[in-house]
């Protein structure tokens, strides 16, 4: 009997599944995502995986030791505004914090062209209506002392008023609750007793950090998607139980750890952008196996192109994010996206007459025109097919046929508007999409002080291997890695399977340097006890976890704080000096030498503890293949190469049969069941002993 490790990532177009057996062999499966009920696509992908293994779904689930899942249910509800109607209860006098938006809501998180053109910007759509806000008398000051007691009767009456006018869920966020949460705790006792079925989020439970607006916004977003996620988790667990699965279902979080499904019901906001994080984790660990410390992780999926930058082998993590122009206190692996995926729609700007691609997407339904599901507007995938880069007869390993004639007609109609031939228009779609991807990488590297020439780019997702040589060409990157061949197409799902139990704990602590080591040690002891209790509830042995400590610090007269590592072991006076030195180096590395102001003093703002597996899973070095080793081409395909401005017969290789050491000169195509590696003219692809494909760009 095998013991499988199964991981599933739901994207906007496809639901990806990886199944790893005890020997490390990986089985790949894909199914169309089902936006009307994502749990159907989840089960469909499991069915496809079971078929690949030649067993029933019931047998697969019976032998599954761990099932982990990254979901887009929450972020889809946020973007499409299909969450619950939320009421907000705040401290008297502070009910408009969400409306004020820290005075930067019009341009918050917007691209530079929107920031520079103020007239084109707009305030974000609110997640809380003004009439759905109630203020309650209570006040705790900045020292954590109660100034005005909580008006308990007023609180209950305010919530009842909100429910009477149609509010479905509730967020409670009081001033200074991160420092002293006693009023929010009392509110929870009262409201749980009075409204036991009401979904309620509390700011102090989600973010123990100073910042009235982002803390309240985090609580609101949590309640906005809470009932939707609760229903999804319940429905998914019921479906799994029907098919015989009795183990725990683990959900990926945006900070890179896995938690039980029931924990996600309470903190669904932690699932936002959890899927793309899996690909970053897989890239980091795969890079460590081959000595790549500086990695650009580039994931081209069906809806978006996601980028993350790994420097010195460390996952990039940020403590605050912008979601739909709202600031949230979410600790998240730093991934940024642009609407340039395979399903991104091509269109003509009515004002400029220029060709545009995205951010609108055809999604899973109807999908690109070539899917034959009713789509009429061409996409990047349609362009790739018309150019000859994709094998329409063997898409997804033959499980799906692509209609090249329909894609050609759609692109021809678009080309007529632009005065371009079919091939010129298809190449133009590709050019525009790749320029968007290149710009996103540039903003994540050069704009942040990283030289892309020092990095290796890991290209994955269904379209990563197709487009990588184009969206890297202007950046000076010397090498592209397509991880383990076909596994690249489901790399994020595979990365979710590599994740382990992980939680982050924070506590506010304001202190001016010199630091009191006894207070710091006491603060860490307090949050470590919380971590131990959570691990015990989750059935995780404490000695299987490793703890990483850090502190948020800043120069007293400056605005932005940075995260500084805190040494392991006893926190004596010498350790305090080391913390300050680490902060100074970190600040200089991020903002530049000499920009700090130590003469004004240095402030400690908060403590953080991250727990993670002490022995993390290592990535596979090669996938199993039934194909016989053969480095010869299996045929040719007519491809339009813009470099030559002509169609030419291009050799096609069968990726799974290529032995290690194979070197292929471009132009060439390497077909896998779920992706195609495109070797453009003048480039060289090599098959590495570990299964990776590398393309040398000769920067």
């Amino acid at each position: 009997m095998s013991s499988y490790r199964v991981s599933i990532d739901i994207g906007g177009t496809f639901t990806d599944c990886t199944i790893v057996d005890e020997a490390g062999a990986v089985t790949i499966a894909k199914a169309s995502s089902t936006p009307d009920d994502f749990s159907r696509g989840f089960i469909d992908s499991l069915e496809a995986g079971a078929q690949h293994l030649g067993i029933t779904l019931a047998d697969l689930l019976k032998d599954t030791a761990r099932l982990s899942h990254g979901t887009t249910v929450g972020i889809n509800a946020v973007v499409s505004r299909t969450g619950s109607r939320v009421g907000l209860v705040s401290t008297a006098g502070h009910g408009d914090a969400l409306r004020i938006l820290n005075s930067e809501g019009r341009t918050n998180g917007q691209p530079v062209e929107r920031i520079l053109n103020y007239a084109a910007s707009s305030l974000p759509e609110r997640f809380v209506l003004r009439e759905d806000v109630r203020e309650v008398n209570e006040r705790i000051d900045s020292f954590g002392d109660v100034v005005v007691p909580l008006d308990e009767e007023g609180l209950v009456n305010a919530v009842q008023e909100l429910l009477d006018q149609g509010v479905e869920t509730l967020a409670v966020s009081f001033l200074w609750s991160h420092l002293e949460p006693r009023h929010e705790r009392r509110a929870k006792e009262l409201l749980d007793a009075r409204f036991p079925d009401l979904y309620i989020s509390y700011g102090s439970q989600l973010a123990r950090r100073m910042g009235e607006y982002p803390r309240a916004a985090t609580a609101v977003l949590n309640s906005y998607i809470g009932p939707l996620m609760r229903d999804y988790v319940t429905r998914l667990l019921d479906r799994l139980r029907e098919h015989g699965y009795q183990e725990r279902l683990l959900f990926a979080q945006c900070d890179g750890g896995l938690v039980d499904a029931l924990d996600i019901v309470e903190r669904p906001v932690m699932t936002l952008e959890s899927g793309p994080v899996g690909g970053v984790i897989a890239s980091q660990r795969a890079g460590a196996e081959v000595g790549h410390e500086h990695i650009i992780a580039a994931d081209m999926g069906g809806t978006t192109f996601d980028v993350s930058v790994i420097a010195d082998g460390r996952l990039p993590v940020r403590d605050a994010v912008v979601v739909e122009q709202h600031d949230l206190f979410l600790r998240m692996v730093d991934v940024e996206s642009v609407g340039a995926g395979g399903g991104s729609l091509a269109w003509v700007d009515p004002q400029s007459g220029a060709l545009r691609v995205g951010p609108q997407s055809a999604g899973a339904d109807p999908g690109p025109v070539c899917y034959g599901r009713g789509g009429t507007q061409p996409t990047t995938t349609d362009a790739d097919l018309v150019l000859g880069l994709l094998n329409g007869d063997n898409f997804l390993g033959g499980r799906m046929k692509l209609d090249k004639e329909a894609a050609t007609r759609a692109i021809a109609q678009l080309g007529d508007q632009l005065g371009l031939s079919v091939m010129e228009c298809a190449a133009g779609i590709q050019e525009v999409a790749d320029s968007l991807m290149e710009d996103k990488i540039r903003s994540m590297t050069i704009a942040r002080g990283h030289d892309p020439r020092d990095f290796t780019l890991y290209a994955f997702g269904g379209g990563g291997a197709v487009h990588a040589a184009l969206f890297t060409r202007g950046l000076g990157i010397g090498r592209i890695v397509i991880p383990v061949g076909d596994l690249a197409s489901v790399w994020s799902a595979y990365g979710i399977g590599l994740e382990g139990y992980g939680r982050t704990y924070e506590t506010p602590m304001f202190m001016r340097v010199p630091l009191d080591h006894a207070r710091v040690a006491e603060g860490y002891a307090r949050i470590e006890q919380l971590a131990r209790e959570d691990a015990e509830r989750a059935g995780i042995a404490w000695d299987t976890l490793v703890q990483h400590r850090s502190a948020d610090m800043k120069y007293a007269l400056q605005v932005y704080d940075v995260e500084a590592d805190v040494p392991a072991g006893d926190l004596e006076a010498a350790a305090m000096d080391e913390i300050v030195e680490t902060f100074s180096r970190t600040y200089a590395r991020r903002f530049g030498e000499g920009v700090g102001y130590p003469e004004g003093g240095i402030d400690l703002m908060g403590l953080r503890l991250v727990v993670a597996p002490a022995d993390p899973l290592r990535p596979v070095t090669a996938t199993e293949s039934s194909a016989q080793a053969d480095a010869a081409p299996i045929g040719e395909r007519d491809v339009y190469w813009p470099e030559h401005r002509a169609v030419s017969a291009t050799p096609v290789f069968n990726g799974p049969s290529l032995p290690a050491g194979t070197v292929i000169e471009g132009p060439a195509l390497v077909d896998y069941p779920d992706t195609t590696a495109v070797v453009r003219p003048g480039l060289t692809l090599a098959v590495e002993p570990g299964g990776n494909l590398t393309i040398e760009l000769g920067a």
Side-chain angles (χ1 to χ4, degrees):
M1 181 183 73
S2 296
S3 179
Y4 298 113
R5 190 175 77 245
V6 181
S7 52
I8 293 176
D9 175 33
I10 296 180
T13 305
F14 289 105
T15 296
D16 298 338
C17 173
T18 62
I19 304 170
V20 184
D21 67 17
E22 291 173 313
V26 184
T27 298
I28 297 170
K30 280 179 175 279
S32 293
S33 295
T34 50
D36 60 315
D37 179 3
F38 282 112
S39 67
R40 286 196 297 109
F42 184 103
I43 298 298
D44 289 346
S45 69
L46 284 173
E47 289 267 19
Q51 290 176 9
H52 280 301
L53 291 170
I55 60 177
T56 66
L57 175 58
D59 286 338
L60 170 62
L61 291 174
K62 178 170 61 69
D63 293 339
T64 295
R66 194 179 83 166
L67 179 58
S68 51
H69 176 29
T71 178
T72 58
V73 170
I75 191 64
N76 285 352
V78 170
V79 172
S80 62
R81 294 300 197 275
T82 54
S84 300
R85 181 176 173 181
V86 185
L88 172 64
V89 177
S90 67
T91 302
H94 294 265
D96 282 335
L98 290 187
R99 294 186 59 81
I100 296 171
L101 298 167
N102 275 1
S103 301
E104 57 183 16
R106 293 183 68 95
T107 57
N108 200 18
Q110 296 299 290
V112 64
E113 59 268 19
R114 186 70 61 87
I115 295 173
L116 295 176
N117 184 4
Y118 190 78
S121 66
S122 62
L123 289 170
E125 186 176 340
R126 312 294 180 167
F127 288 99
V128 177
L129 302 174
R130 191 167 196 176
E131 59 265 29
D132 291 341
V133 178
R134 290 293 182 275
E135 299 180 2
V136 173
N137 288 326
E138 69 84 35
R139 188 62 181 265
I140 290 173
D141 66 16
S142 60
F143 299 100
D145 297 325
V146 176
V147 178
V148 178
L150 174 64
D151 180 359
E152 298 184 357
E153 182 179 356
L155 169 69
V156 174
N157 290 339
V159 173
Q160 187 62 63
E161 287 179 10
L162 290 172
L163 295 177
D164 290 342
Q165 65 188 36
V167 161
E168 299 167 320
T169 63
L170 194 70
V172 178
S173 187
F174 293 146
L175 196 64
W176 296 106
S177 62
H178 71 290
L179 187 63
E180 174 48 72
R182 72 176 69 179
H183 282 176
E184 287 194 10
R185 289 173 180 165
R186 178 56 180 159
K188 186 177 189 309
E189 293 174 358
L190 293 168
L191 299 181
D192 283 352
R194 180 66 175 81
F195 310 101
D197 297 325
L198 181 62
Y199 192 100
I200 310 176
S201 300
Y202 296 87
S204 61
Q205 292 183 343
L206 294 166
R208 294 294 303 275
R209 298 178 58 195
M210 185 170 68
E212 176 189 6
Y213 156 58
R215 189 171 62 252
T218 304
V220 166
L221 261 293
N222 198 70
S223 286
Y224 186 76
I225 64 175
L228 190 71
M229 282 296 297
R230 179 184 59 199
D231 294 345
Y232 172 70
V233 169
T234 301
R235 190 165 56 249
L236 185 54
L237 286 173
D238 287 344
R239 284 179 179 265
L240 289 170
R241 300 292 183 254
E242 289 173 4
H243 291 285
Y245 183 70
Q246 301 300 324
E247 302 298 325
R248 298 164 62 200
L249 173 62
L250 302 175
F251 273 77
Q253 301 178 104
C254 54
D255 64 353
L258 297 175
V259 294
D260 189 87
L262 298 182
D263 291 326
I264 283 299
V265 170
E266 295 181 358
R267 299 165 62 92
V269 73
M270 290 300 296
T271 66
L272 300 183
E273 302 294 353
S274 61
V277 168
V280 182
I281 290 174
S283 298
Q284 178 214 27
R285 296 193 186 173
E289 296 290 318
V290 294
H292 294 159
E293 290 191 336
H294 305 304
I295 295 171
I296 299 170
D299 178 2
M300 183 181 175
T303 305
T304 60
F305 177 72
D306 306 314
V307 180
S308 185
V309 177
I310 301 165
D312 299 317
R314 298 186 62 172
L315 283 177
V317 179
R318 51 183 172 174
D319 295 319
V321 297
V322 178
V323 176
E324 294 292 292
Q325 296 179 247
H326 291 273
D327 288 324
L328 302 183
F329 275 155
L330 281 182
R331 186 170 176 83
M332 177 184 291
V333 174
D334 191 6
V335 180
E336 289 195 3
S337 305
V338 63
S344 295
L345 298 172
W347 52 286
V348 176
D349 188 324
Q351 293 184 329
S352 66
L355 175 63
R356 306 290 188 197
V357 176
Q360 304 88 350
S361 173
D365 186 15
V369 175
C370 60
Y371 284 10
R373 297 174 180 166
T376 58
Q377 192 170 347
T379 67
T380 307
T381 295
D382 292 310
D384 292 339
L385 178 64
V386 169
L387 291 170
L389 301 178
L390 303 180
N391 183 353
D393 294 328
N394 196 43
F395 192 68
L396 299 183
R399 301 187 300 277
M400 184 175 179
K401 303 293 184 182
L402 300 183
D403 189 342
K404 186 173 182 178
E405 291 185 1
T408 301
R409 288 194 299 270
I411 291 177
Q413 292 175 4
L414 185 66
D416 289 343
Q417 300 179 54
L418 297 163
L420 299 174
S421 69
V422 170
M423 289 301 179
E424 288 173 336
C425 185
I429 293 171
Q430 187 182 69
E431 175 82 15
V432 172
D434 289 322
S435 294
L436 292 171
M437 301 179 212
E438 182 180 323
D439 287 345
K440 176 52 66 176
I441 295 174
R442 184 175 286 107
S443 72
M444 293 286 285
T445 53
I446 297 172
R448 298 188 181 188
H450 297 297
D451 187 341
R453 293 173 296 184
D454 298 333
F455 287 76
T456 297
L457 185 132
Y458 276 54
F460 50 95
V466 179
H467 287 257
L470 283 176
F471 61 67
T472 55
R473 60 192 166 178
L475 297 167
I477 296 170
R479 174 178 293 174
I480 296 167
V481 172
I482 301 165
V484 202
D486 202 32
L487 191 56
S489 66
V490 292
W491 195 237
S492 289
Y494 181 70
I496 290 170
L498 294 177
E499 296 177 29
Y501 175 84
R503 294 290 292 267
T504 299
Y505 301 86
E506 297 174 329
T507 188
M509 179 175 288
F510 179 80
M511 192 186 310
R512 179 69 53 86
V513 169
L515 302 178
D516 182 340
H517 68 89
R519 279 189 62 198
V520 173
E522 180 186 359
Y524 277 115
R526 189 165 57 249
I527 55 178
E528 181 179 312
Q529 182 58 36
L530 292 175
R532 287 177 177 270
E533 292 171 359
D534 284 345
E536 183 178 358
R537 279 193 294 270
I540 306 295
W542 185 251
D543 59 5
T544 66
L545 300 173
V546 64
Q547 301 85 49
H548 175 74
R549 299 186 296 208
S550 62
D552 289 335
M553 303 180 71
K554 71 181 187 70
Y555 289 109
L557 298 181
Q558 296 185 343
V559 176
Y560 299 106
D561 55 44
V562 300
E563 184 176 359
D565 289 340
V566 173
D570 295 334
L571 294 173
E572 301 296 339
M576 301 301 102
D577 295 336
E578 185 177 344
I579 293 171
V580 174
E581 285 296 321
T582 300
F583 160 72
S584 299
R585 291 194 302 270
T586 303
Y587 195 97
R589 185 167 60 247
R590 179 172 300 180
F591 298 109
E593 294 287 346
V595 299
Y597 186 57
E599 294 82 359
I602 298 175
D603 290 339
L604 171 70
M605 305 300 293
L607 308 179
R608 181 177 295 106
L609 177 72
V610 178
V611 296
D615 186 20
L617 294 170
R618 297 176 62 183
V620 68
T621 56
T623 54
E624 293 292 319
S625 173
S626 59
Q628 294 293 320
D630 186 358
I634 59 173
E636 292 182 333
R637 198 151 67 234
D638 287 339
V639 178
Y640 178 84
W641 298 105
E643 296 92 329
H644 299 158
R645 295 190 177 182
V647 174
S648 60
T650 301
V652 178
F653 296 81
N654 180 38
S657 67
L658 294 178
T662 299
V663 176
I664 298 172
E665 300 290 336
L669 303 173
V670 181
D671 279 349
Y672 286 89
D674 297 289
T675 192
T676 295
V678 175
V679 191
R680 305 198 72 84
L683 302 183
T684 301
L685 177 144
V687 182
E688 302 294 337
N692 290 338
L693 308 181
T694 61
I695 297 177
E696 300 296 334
L697 300 177

